[in-house]
Amino acid sequence: MRRTSVLPLTFVTAVLAAGCGGDNEDRLSTSLPQSTAHLRVSSPAFIDGARLQNKYTCDGAGEEPVVRAGTVPPTTSELVLIVSDPDAVDGAFVHVTRYGLSPRGDGAVNEDGVEGRNSSGKVGWTPPCPPRGDRRHHYVWTVFALRDKTRLAAGADPDAVITAVSDGALASGTITATYARQG
């Protein structure tokens, strides 16, 4: 059985010392696990490292961009998505968690499945909305291919989702977009 490793302590410290707005307490208190196998994650809405268009933020319609997972290991039972902002002021801000996603089909992870709570305390997607004049924030879409189903109920908190993926990640991958609001 392959176990996942935890991200380096320096990254965890940076993530937990950082925030994105809002004053809810559903910040990540656990680091995101990292698997040894790489999963390709892509989006027709942006390329890795590019600026996120306004329509996906609080300055626009706040749409959730389409994100897809590439080919998953054949033993994958479920895909899980966690979108976070490690640059947030009060700690890593979670914009959405989605689990129970089918590993079959077109790989889209921005719809279907079951949604957990985000750092705003709501179930579903909260668009990026960093403080005006703040430096650009990085928004990280992490997709996990899991060996076993999480069996989480709707509305699970972000730490429960991370705990559920910690022991069974066969592969994981990320895509990142940046965004800053004008002062």
Side-chain angles (χ1 to χ4, degrees):
M1 177 166 103
R2 184 182 299 168
R3 306 236 1 142
T4 58
S5 62
V6 177
L7 293 173
L9 183 58
T10 54
F11 176 78
V12 173
T13 303
V15 165
L16 296 177
C20 182
D23 54 6
N24 198 281
E25 297 174 8
D26 283 334
R27 305 291 179 162
L28 288 179
S29 63
T30 309
S31 65
L32 292 178
Q34 184 177 5
S35 69
T36 54
H38 178 71
L39 179 62
R40 184 175 180 277
V41 179
S42 63
S43 176
F46 62 93
I47 59 171
D48 193 33
R51 182 185 183 279
L52 199 58
Q53 295 176 17
N54 281 4
K55 71 180 186 176
Y56 301 114
T57 73
C58 67
D59 292 323
E63 298 173 26
E64 184 177 357
V66 173
V67 172
R68 291 192 172 92
T71 304
V72 299
T75 56
T76 301
S77 295
E78 177 179 334
L79 295 176
V80 174
L81 169 70
I82 300 172
V83 180
S84 62
D85 172 5
D87 302 317
V89 176
D90 297 326
F93 188 96
V94 176
H95 289 270
V96 73
T97 60
R98 192 170 289 116
Y99 37 92
L101 293 160
S102 174
R104 312 300 175 251
D106 69 358
V109 293
N110 60 296
E111 54 189 30
D112 298 327
V114 179
E115 293 181 327
R117 277 196 327 257
N118 56 45
S119 291
S120 294
K122 299 176 183 169
V123 172
W125 168 253
T126 292
C129 197
R132 287 193 182 280
D134 209 358
R135 62 182 165 64
R136 70 184 173 140
H137 286 219
H138 294 79
Y139 298 92
V140 183
W141 280 255
T142 305
V143 180
F144 298 92
L146 302 183
R147 174 182 38 252
D148 300 313
K149 294 184 181 284
T150 61
R151 305 197 192 293
L152 290 168
D157 68 66
D159 284 333
V161 177
I162 292 167
T163 298
V165 301
S166 292
D167 288 332
L170 298 168
S172 65
T174 64
I175 187 169
T176 302
T178 64
Y179 189 70
R181 299 174 75 202
Q182 300 302 313

